[in-house]
Amino acid sequence: MSNKYMDLREFVDRGYLQEVNRLLLHPLGLALACEQDDSGDALRLSGIIDSRDDPDGMIFAELTDDDVQKADQFANEMRRRAASRLRALGYVIQPLPGEVPETRRSGGWTQL
C-alpha cells in the first residue's frame, strides 16, 4: 500500500502546524518552519528552528481569532480520532513497550 500525502498548505490551514508547534515543539525550544515562495502561493518546509538554549522555549508572537479557530478544529479532530482509536486499539497514543496504555490525556482529546 502506498502512502498518501497531505498538501502542506492544508497542513498549515487546518492548524496542524500551529498545534504541533504550540503543543509539542515550542515547549522544547523548537519550531517546524514553513516559508512561501515569492508569489505567496507555494509553501515548503524550511527546517526546524532551534532555540533550545532559551529556558523558556518558544511562543507565538500573538495568537489571533483565526489561531483559536484552528486550535479548536484540531482539538475536535483529535477527539473524534481518539474515540475511534480507543475503541479499536485500547489507546490513543501508542504506548512504548512495557508502558500501560493511557486512556485519558490532559489535552482532553481522550476525555470522551
Side-chain angles (χ1 to χ4, degrees):
M1 179 174 160
S2 65
N3 290 324
K4 181 179 172 183
Y5 292 91
M6 175 186 277
D7 179 76
L8 187 54
R9 173 65 64 190
E10 181 181 3
F11 186 76
V12 170
D13 290 348
R14 289 184 173 257
Y16 294 116
L17 176 66
Q18 169 190 300
E19 292 301 279
V20 164
N21 279 331
R22 189 177 71 85
L23 297 170
L24 179 66
L25 296 177
H26 281 182
L28 298 172
L30 300 169
L32 180 59
C34 292
E35 60 185 36
Q36 294 184 7
D37 66 6
D38 291 337
S39 70
D41 294 330
L43 285 178
R44 71 175 189 86
L45 289 174
S46 54
I48 306 291
I49 298 170
D50 185 350
S51 295
R52 290 176 292 172
D53 57 341
D54 183 343
D56 296 336
M58 299 179 76
I59 62 169
F60 288 108
E62 180 180 331
L63 291 172
T64 66
D65 289 340
D66 183 54
D67 297 324
V68 172
Q69 287 179 329
K70 286 179 180 178
D72 287 344
Q73 181 177 326
F74 178 89
N76 288 336
E77 181 70 5
M78 284 296 293
R79 275 191 290 278
R80 184 183 73 77
R81 292 185 147 284
S84 176
R85 287 178 64 87
L86 198 53
R87 278 192 305 275
L89 304 170
Y91 56 81
V92 177
I93 297 172
Q94 185 175 5
L96 294 170
E99 283 185 334
V100 175
E102 292 186 37
T103 57
R104 296 174 65 91
R105 289 274 180 183
S106 61
W109 301 329
T110 61
Q111 296 172 1
L112 311 170

